[in-house]
Amino acid sequence: MQYISTRGQAPALNFEGAMLAGLARDGGLYVPDTIPTMSQAEIAALAGLSYEEIALRVMQPFTGMGEGLLGDLIQRAYAGFGHDARAPLVQLGPNHFLLELFHGPTLAFKDFAMQLIGQLFQDAMKRKGERITIVGATSGDTGSAAMEAFRGLDNVECFILFPQGRVSDVQRRQMTTPIEANVHALALDGDFDDCQAAVKAMFNDHGFRDAVSLTAVNSINWARVLAQVVYFFSAAVSLGAPKRSVSFTVPTGNFGDIFAGYIARSMGLPIDKLVIATNRNDILHRTIQSGAHRKEGVSPTISPSMDIQVSSNFERALFMAYGRDGNAVSQLMDELRGGGFDVSQGAMEALRETYASGRASEEETAATIRAMHARTGEVLCPHTAVGVKVAEENFGDSPMITLATAHPAKFPDAVEAATGARPPLPARMADLFDRPERMTDVPNDVAHLQSLIKERIA
Ligand SMILES: *Cc1c(COP(=O)(O)O)cnc(C)c1O
């Protein structure tokens, strides 16, 4: 299988090439040139299998990897999860289910992709006999998921920059308590934008980039999307697919998670609707409703992982909706730099055939946490609450599955404000606040960062 760029100007690559490249050289995102399908019988045969076996059957055709090797990497990726089902479903109401994606090591769904990508990178580097340096900036969740995924792996060094004093205590401790020497938490004297700017500057310094084999694992990486396709299958099959179709509501920011749902649907999984749930940073909801994709400023919310202005993976949805026309997508992305664009009527029809959308205000999000706790005892994180609120407005004939993207204990202040009770960390990480921390304070200075990284990997 080959991967092509959404902007049509970069060379096609195989799975490993697309994974190691991340972004295509023309600035586009990689998508498979054809999407493999599964027959009804093949989907039905997933019922009763372990998460790992489902993952192997769903992902293997996209990778070209041998079943033995991929199966091993999948086993290792999910061995550290705190629930045997990996992604269990719980029932919220007569036809409403919650897909708990927060049983990984950092308590958010990003672990599903990061843990696997860690294994895939390590394997690729071992076979190539090369080393890589991963550098990333985080406002909290992605960085801790990356450090958990890469800790202790061979041939990979991982540096994560976070804004000093501006991530939550849980998030910081998840980055500063791993003891393995190949992961490095760097507390930058600045804000998240400074962290991102520093990383970008390092990538744009080609001499440095080549000298340390700099690599990113950000949310546009195709391998991350692929890993997320699996739980759409496991959840749908456990509710009766392929005989019965289901719908999903996905708390959405960069559109990676919900695009994975689109891939599952394209593979033949009977999904009625994929509902985009946004907080008040609602560019995607406005786009689905009006056809106008216009940037507005970002306003901070209690669901910070969805506070976006540019939703990077939406480019993949546009590419599909425009009939895989890379030139059209290139032009839209140029217009987006100037503030926004109008989606063509044909593409809007294609998008609305797959996606519905809704938004939740801050008050509605808090009220949903409170009401769901009172009615069912289930404690939702704020991102999940956005999803539940929007799901309730989009019920149809088929069962609705809302993705629970993080554990409530990751956002204890917002949850406590809504319910009056502070959600405890799961028992397996209850000692997080007793573990010693290890981090390096760094100035907001690219040259300083570059010499620190070179020194550490020498
Ligand atoms: C990253 C994240 C999201 C948004 O997911 P996308 O794939 O960027 O749309 C939602 N909730 C939580 C808790 C997250 O960490």
Side-chain angles (χ1 to χ4, degrees), residues 130-208:
E130 291 172 12
R131 300 173 53 82
I132 44 167
T133 304
I134 299 213
V135 177
T138 188
S139 56
D141 280 354
T142 309
S144 53
M147 290 187 71
E148 272 294 338
F150 289 104
R151 61 191 278 184
L153 298 190
D154 299 328
N155 303 328
V156 181
E157 294 282 332
C158 177
F159 295 83
I160 299 294
L161 285 168
F162 66 92
Q164 183 162 45
R166 299 190 205 202
V167 299
S168 78
D169 289 348
V170 173
Q171 289 172 327
R172 189 193 68 247
R173 285 184 163 273
Q174 283 181 329
M175 292 188 277
T176 59
T177 57
I179 54 171
E180 290 80 0
N182 73 321
V183 291
H184 313 262
L186 307 179
L188 184 124
D189 182 15
D191 60 18
F192 175 55
D193 289 337
D194 296 325
C195 294
Q196 272 195 306
V199 170
K200 211 168 183 182
M202 287 189 257
F203 272 90
N204 286 336
D205 178 343
H206 293 250
F208 177 75

Side-chain angles (χ1 to χ4, degrees), residues 236 239-247 269-272 397-400:
L239 290 182
K243 279 210 193 92
R244 184 156 74 149
S245 53
V246 297
S247 288
L269 189 67
I271 297 176
D272 270 352
D397 294 334
S398 44
M400 176 63 81

Side-chain angles (χ1 to χ4, degrees), residues 283-297:
I283 182 167
L284 293 166
H285 173 54
R286 286 185 280 112
T287 304
I288 297 298
Q289 300 307 309
S290 72
H293 191 75
R294 295 256 177 290
K295 290 195 276 190
E296 289 176 358

Side-chain angles (χ1 to χ4, degrees), residues 109-110 141 251-257 305-306 383 405-406:
F109 83 89
K110 292 189 173 71
D141 280 354
T252 297
N254 269 324
F255 214 82
D257 217 3
S305 300
M306 295 156 64
H383 308 78
T405 51

